Amino acid sequence: MAKRKAAAPKDDAGSGTNEPFEAISDGRVNIGKSTDLKEVEFILLRLANRHGLVTGATGTGKTVTLQGLAEGFSDQGVPVFCADVKGDLSGVAEDGEMKPWIEARDKAINFTQNFRAYPVIFWDLFGEQGLPIRTTISEMGPLLLSRLMDLSDAQEGVLNIAFKIADDEKLPLSTLANLQTLLEGLAARADTLTTKYGNVTKASVGSIQRSLLVLDRQGGAHFFGKPVLNIKDLMLKDGKQGYINVLAAEKLMESPRLYATFLLFLLSELFEEMPEVGDPDKPNLVFFFDEAHLLFKDAPKALLEKVEQVVRLIRSKGVGVYFVTQNPLDIPDTVSRQLGNRIQHALRAFSPMEQRAVKAAATTFRANPAFDTEKAIMELGIGEALVSTLDDKGQPSIVQRTLVRPPNSRVGPITDSERSKIIAASPVEYPQKPADSSADQARLQQWADGAAEAKAASADEKAATKTSSGGSSRSDGFWTTLGKTLIKTGVPLATRVLTDALKGRGRRGGGGFTGLGALDTGGGASAKSPDDSKTETSAGDKYVPFKSINVVERGVLGGRKRQ
């Protein structure tokens, strides 16, 4: 490789011999040897926090490469975190054994094999194949939870309001049950909270509750609770070796969104908790993100920006992040350009999309005049890779076709009994069951019930106010108003008509209405006064509304006489 004589004088290209080498050398982690058997390909330890990328199709040797890198960093005293998505990475905890392909590779590259087990801590979100890992809802935060539950923008906004209220009210948010109760209270207070925090619809709250139910059924309840994971427990050492933290992810991969969100959360926690160290001689932790395409698939812009920020800035915390995936196009450009150490296994190019992936991968390497990079990617065999890492000056080295060294530990999974012994001997302890959170839940339930009680009291007060004021419902208001209007206008009019009629009859009896004696029951009908003609209605007269009824048709009390 270019300008590596100072770092590795016995392995320089000018020697022209197949010199023996081991998994580690002073200040570096060895990957393998170039196919011309002249140069050892390696990652400089002081530049290992410049991150990296391991890509290749299924079955090309990515897991073995990852296992060898984890061993190399551990031997250099650097703790490692990696996810075991297929179960075969667990073999790093047991001694390796000679196999025909290992023997052939050792002989080809003159590698000195030293079979041994490495210090390992097994972790598992479900607590079945390792120590349980937990965090709280409040630590996860609304952005990652929204990603985890695939919420819409409106639903994410409501979730942000819920977290803001929890902060303002100092309400605990540890478990899924805590969040569900908080959302119940949020829905009950929606009318009063809108002016301060924004719109909260019951439909959005209901959708979030449904997503929480799905998350619970997928095992999310195991992940949320106390005690939470102490980040320092991922950076332990066993003498001079760093512990290799292996996350049992076989079952977790059944919920790929939970897997990707958890690893991103863990990465963000490292970024927030670890102090600034600048550029140390070796990393404080190396983090392998296997199946990295799950992190970026359908990720919203806000999440991608967060990933980019974490990857860019976590370097100064002494953490190296290595993404492992099948297709180099799985990694967004904003993240890919920050990955300085690259290992490319074989890619297959049967479709136009795969051909574009091969071409894209080839263009990321510093060209080697000895071969065609794009063609070489499709010709690589199992356990063979194109390697380009940062040299002494921090520049990408010329890409080399490389035979990857075999691991010192077992290649393949360990047994259940072996795993149980390793878990029992772990240097840290975490309880299988989460701590009792009934006190937090009772406090949240009291807050949520307070909203319902306040709403009921307000309704009772409104009802009492209506009753005391003689008011009625809004549906009765129209008829009440109409009745009052008719009474106000109709009664005076009817009174006036009746008065006019009585006066007219009184004049026929001589001198107005003065009592029962004023009613003339005989002879008065034929004796008409000069004004009688004015009160008679002929057949040709126009109709007059509310025209007086002749007094003779009414009874003594004003009632209409029977015919």
Side-chain angles (χ1 to χ4, degrees):
M1 298 178 71
K3 297 183 180 180
R4 292 200 175 194
K5 296 182 180 180
K10 66 177 182 178
D11 295 323
D12 66 280
S15 64
T17 59
N18 187 8
E19 296 288 341
F21 75 103
E22 297 182 356
I24 62 171
S25 301
D26 187 23
R28 68 189 196 185
V29 173
N30 293 329
I31 301 171
K33 186 173 286 188
S34 61
T35 53
D36 61 9
L37 305 179
K38 294 180 180 181
E39 298 183 12
V40 174
E41 303 304 315
F42 56 86
I43 296 176
L44 283 174
L45 207 56
R46 66 180 183 85
L47 295 178
N49 64 340
R50 298 306 199 271
H51 313 314
L53 177 65
V54 181
T55 59
T58 300
T60 55
K62 295 192 304 297
T63 301
V64 173
T65 298
L66 192 159
Q67 186 171 339
L69 290 175
E71 292 177 354
F73 283 116
S74 176
D75 284 334
Q76 292 284 16
V78 179
V80 174
F81 182 91
C82 53
D84 185 11
V85 298
K86 295 181 293 184
D88 49 2
L89 193 56
S90 60
V92 73
E94 296 293 336
D95 296 339
E97 55 185 6
M98 186 59 70
K99 296 182 178 181
W101 70 270
I102 294 178
E103 185 177 7
R105 179 57 55 89
D106 289 348
K107 184 177 180 180
I109 63 178
N110 202 2
F111 177 66
T112 305
Q113 198 76 51
N114 182 14
F115 291 122
R116 63 186 186 276
Y118 284 77
V120 172
I121 302 176
F122 286 110
W123 302 91
D124 184 4
L125 257 67
F126 304 100
E128 297 174 357
Q129 299 188 66
L131 300 177
I133 297 182
R134 296 187 183 92
T135 188
T136 62
I137 290 289
S138 58
E139 287 183 351
M140 176 68 78
L143 177 61
L144 289 183
L145 275 176
S146 298
R147 162 66 170 166
L148 180 58
M149 295 185 289
D150 195 22
L151 300 183
S152 65
D153 291 342
Q155 294 160 4
E156 183 179 350
V158 171
L159 192 62
N160 274 282
I161 291 174
F163 272 79
K164 174 62 176 173
I165 291 173
D167 292 340
D168 293 346
E169 301 285 343
K170 301 189 183 305
L171 298 173
L173 280 180
S174 300
T175 64
L176 287 178
N178 292 161
L179 181 56
Q180 289 169 332
T181 304
L182 176 65
L183 289 171
E184 290 176 11
L186 185 65
R189 288 179 165 89
D191 294 339
T192 59
L193 295 174
T194 298
T195 55
K196 182 176 181 181
Y197 296 100
N199 290 333
V200 177
T201 64
K202 291 184 178 180
S204 293
V205 172
S207 297
I208 298 173
Q209 293 283 40
R210 184 172 60 251
S211 298
L212 288 174
L213 179 61
V214 173
L215 180 59
D216 187 23
R217 292 177 62 87
Q218 291 179 344
H222 295 280
F223 179 42
F224 296 106
K226 296 179 180 179
V228 300
L229 173 68
N230 187 346
I231 293 298
K232 293 181 179 179
D233 289 340
L234 299 179
M235 294 178 284
L236 301 179
K237 295 182 180 181
D238 182 16
K240 293 183 178 181
Q241 288 182 303
Y243 267 95
I244 299 176
N245 299 273
V246 178
L247 174 68
E250 290 179 87
K251 183 176 180 180
L252 183 60
M253 285 300 294
E254 297 176 3
S255 305
R257 193 178 291 271
L258 178 59
Y259 165 79
T261 305
F262 163 70
L263 290 188
L264 179 57
F265 160 75
L266 199 58
L267 199 59
S268 64
E269 283 294 294
L270 289 169
F271 172 71
E272 293 173 2
E273 296 293 330
M274 296 182 67
E276 292 279 347
V277 294
D279 286 317
D281 293 335
K282 61 182 179 182
N284 293 325
L285 178 72
V286 170
F287 190 102
F288 288 98
F289 203 131
D290 202 359
E291 300 294 337
H293 67 281
L294 297 175
L295 171 62
F296 302 106
K297 182 180 179 181
D298 299 326
K301 183 179 179 181
L303 186 61
L304 290 177
E305 290 175 350
K306 185 176 179 65
V307 175
E308 178 189 356
Q309 177 189 22
V310 170
V311 173
R312 185 176 68 252
L313 300 179
I314 203 171
R315 175 191 61 79
S316 62
K317 305 294 184 83
V319 177
V321 181
Y322 288 72
F323 294 99
V324 183
T325 188
Q326 294 186 18
N327 192 328
L329 296 180
D330 293 336
I331 311 299
D333 290 340
T334 55
V335 177
S336 179
R337 66 171 64 112
Q338 301 180 53
L339 310 179
N341 303 297
R342 294 173 178 264
I343 301 174
Q344 175 66 62
H345 285 272
L347 289 175
R348 313 302 178 211
F350 298 111
S351 67
M353 181 178 294
E354 291 171 337
Q355 292 172 4
R356 288 196 298 271
V358 171
K359 187 173 183 179
T363 57
T364 61
F365 289 104
R366 182 178 171 187
N368 189 329
F371 59 86
D372 184 335
T373 304
E374 184 175 344
K375 185 178 179 180
I377 290 176
M378 295 184 287
E379 296 176 344
L380 294 170
I382 298 176
E384 193 176 354
L386 297 183
V387 176
S388 175
T389 58
L390 299 179
D391 61 18
D392 296 350
K393 296 181 179 180
Q395 299 175 343
S397 62
I398 294 176
V399 63
Q400 293 287 350
R401 192 163 177 169
T402 304
L403 298 173
V404 179
R405 72 165 184 86
N408 289 319
S409 56
R410 181 186 301 177
V411 178
I414 62 176
T415 64
D416 291 340
S417 59
E418 289 172 333
R419 183 185 293 270
S420 298
K421 291 179 181 178
I422 295 171
I423 294 174
S426 297
V428 293
E429 293 183 7
Y430 284 84
Q432 285 294 323
K433 293 184 178 180
D436 183 23
S437 61
S438 57
D440 290 346
Q441 183 63 20
R443 184 180 174 191
L444 275 162
Q445 192 64 57
Q446 183 180 9
W447 181 83
D449 292 342
E453 292 172 0
K455 191 172 183 179
S458 176
D460 292 342
E461 183 180 353
K462 289 180 179 179
T465 302
K466 285 184 177 181
T467 302
S468 62
S469 62
S472 57
S473 65
R474 296 178 70 178
S475 60
D476 290 335
F478 168 78
W479 300 107
T480 302
T481 303
L482 180 60
K484 291 179 178 180
T485 303
L486 290 175
I487 291 173
K488 288 180 180 180
T489 58
V491 170
L493 181 59
T495 302
R496 191 162 52 249
V497 170
L498 183 58
T499 302
D500 291 343
L502 292 176
K503 285 182 178 181
R505 180 59 181 162
R507 284 193 294 270
R508 288 194 291 272
F513 180 70
T514 56
L516 291 177
L519 293 176
D520 187 1
T521 58
S526 59
K528 295 184 179 179
S529 66
D531 295 330
D532 283 348
S533 60
K534 295 182 180 180
T535 58
E536 294 292 331
T537 303
S538 65
D541 289 343
K542 293 183 180 180
Y543 170 76
V544 180
F546 298 103
K547 184 176 181 180
S548 314
I549 299 176
N550 197 310
V551 70
V552 297
E553 298 178 5
R554 296 185 178 278
V556 175
L557 299 179
R560 185 179 293 272
K561 287 184 177 183
R562 292 181 183 180
Q563 299 297 323

